[in-house]
Amino acid sequence: MYNKKSVYGKIIKRLGFYNPYINYGKSFFINYNLFFYYIKKGAKISKRVFSFLKK
């Protein structure tokens, strides 16, 4: 279970993570099933997330 508190409010669903300080291994992960589910429901992709998906 993910228990960190967000600055902007409660976390509804955790889609993935990004850690810029890791130079090896998995520094970025996204749950594509949930991601595409929310895109189909009308969610917008931020510029930062779009730049990660291009890689």
Side-chain angles (χ1 to χ4, degrees):
M1 182 172 200
Y2 187 72
N3 290 328
K4 277 190 174 181
K5 302 243 180 187
S6 175
V7 177
Y8 304 109
K10 282 180 67 174
I11 294 174
I12 298 170
K13 282 271 190 184
R14 184 173 182 202
L15 296 178
F17 68 86
Y18 170 66
N19 188 349
Y21 300 112
I22 295 178
N23 291 331
Y24 57 89
K26 258 188 177 175
S27 65
F28 173 68
F29 170 77
I30 190 164
N31 183 342
Y32 286 103
N33 292 331
L34 277 178
F35 178 75
F36 288 121
Y37 170 77
Y38 285 115
I39 295 298
K40 288 177 187 176
K41 292 289 184 179
K44 306 274 187 204
I45 303 173
S46 68
K47 290 180 184 178
R48 168 126 11 221
V49 172
F50 185 74
S51 69
F52 290 137
L53 294 176
K54 286 192 336 187
K55 292 181 182 180

